[in-house]
């Protein structure tokens, strides 16, 4: 009950009780787990050190060699954008940049571990992002000590890839073929004469 006598609502985002309790503490140790459908082999990695065994996979720690920016929650037509930056040797970064990752699946999970930089999970990580990889960019960066490092920036988009099912038009007939009982668009099927024969470019 809250102060007004009403039942309190907890916005848990599907987080299990052990992890939710851990996250409510004044100090906790976070971890980010990333699964990438990389062309040369699927990747399971986490932001700390060592190996985390979870969900049937061994997630390898990348420590300071990667940083993660998860797309923000937002309402609107434009998908959220995020990125992953990976630091490596020049040859590894260039090889990875040569692979075509466009529209391949990406998932990010957040959780907590028992010690700073550790690999023992507290509870079960929750899904923080599910989307696609939008492309890669080779970068020359400078680390905290001022040393030049080679980096690969991987851009992320939320939802399905914009080019996976794009089409110029979506007609009432298209809607009926997928959802026979849906009457959405029935009054617009003749709104633009000749739309079905639209060609581009002219």
């Amino acid at each position: 009950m809250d102060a007004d006598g009403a039942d309190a609502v907890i916005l848990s985002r599907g987080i299990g009780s052990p992890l939710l309790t851990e996250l409510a503490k004044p100090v906790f140790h976070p971890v980010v787990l990333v699964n990438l459908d990389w062309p040369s082999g699927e990747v399971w990695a986490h932001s700390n050190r060592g190996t985390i065994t979870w969900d049937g996979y061994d997630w390898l720690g990348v420590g300071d060699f990667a940083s993660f920016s998860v797309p923000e929650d937002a309402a609107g037509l434009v998908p959220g954008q995020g990125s992953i930056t990976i630091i490596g040797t020049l040859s590894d970064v260039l090889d990875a940049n040569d692979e075509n990752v466009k529209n391949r699946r990406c998932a990010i999970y957040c959780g907590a571990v028992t010690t700073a930089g550790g690999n023992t999970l507290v509870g079960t990580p929750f899904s923080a992002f599910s989307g696609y990889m939008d492309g890669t960019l080779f970068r020359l960066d400078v680390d905290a000590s001022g040393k030049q490092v080679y980096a690969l920036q991987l851009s992320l988009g939320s939802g399905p890839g914009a080019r996976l099912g794009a089409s110029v038009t979506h007609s009432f007939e298209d809607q009926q073929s997928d959802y026979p009982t849906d009457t959405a668009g029935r009054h617009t099927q003749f709104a633009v004469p000749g739309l079905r024969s639209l060609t581009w470019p002219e």
Side-chain angles (χ1 to χ4, degrees), residues 98-188:
D98 285 340
E99 297 197 51
N100 182 15
V101 301
K102 186 75 175 179
N103 286 328
R104 297 181 75 97
R105 180 180 46 79
C106 170
I108 299 178
Y109 304 87
C110 291
V113 291
T114 55
T115 59
N119 55 17
T120 301
L121 290 172
V122 177
T124 303
F126 64 92
S127 175
F129 170 76
S130 180
Y132 62 96
M133 296 180 279
D134 199 30
T136 58
L137 176 66
F138 173 75
R139 287 178 22 190
L140 287 175
D141 283 349
V142 177
D143 64 16
S145 66
K147 180 182 177 181
Q148 181 174 283
V149 294
Y150 306 104
L152 181 72
Q153 181 174 313
L154 176 65
S155 58
L156 310 175
S158 60
R163 297 179 182 174
L164 290 181
S167 61
V168 175
T169 63
H170 179 75
S171 68
F172 174 64
E173 290 79 9
D174 294 331
Q175 187 73 6
Q176 284 286 292
S177 67
D178 292 335
Y179 306 98
T181 60
D182 190 352
T183 58
R186 66 187 183 280
H187 298 300
T188 63

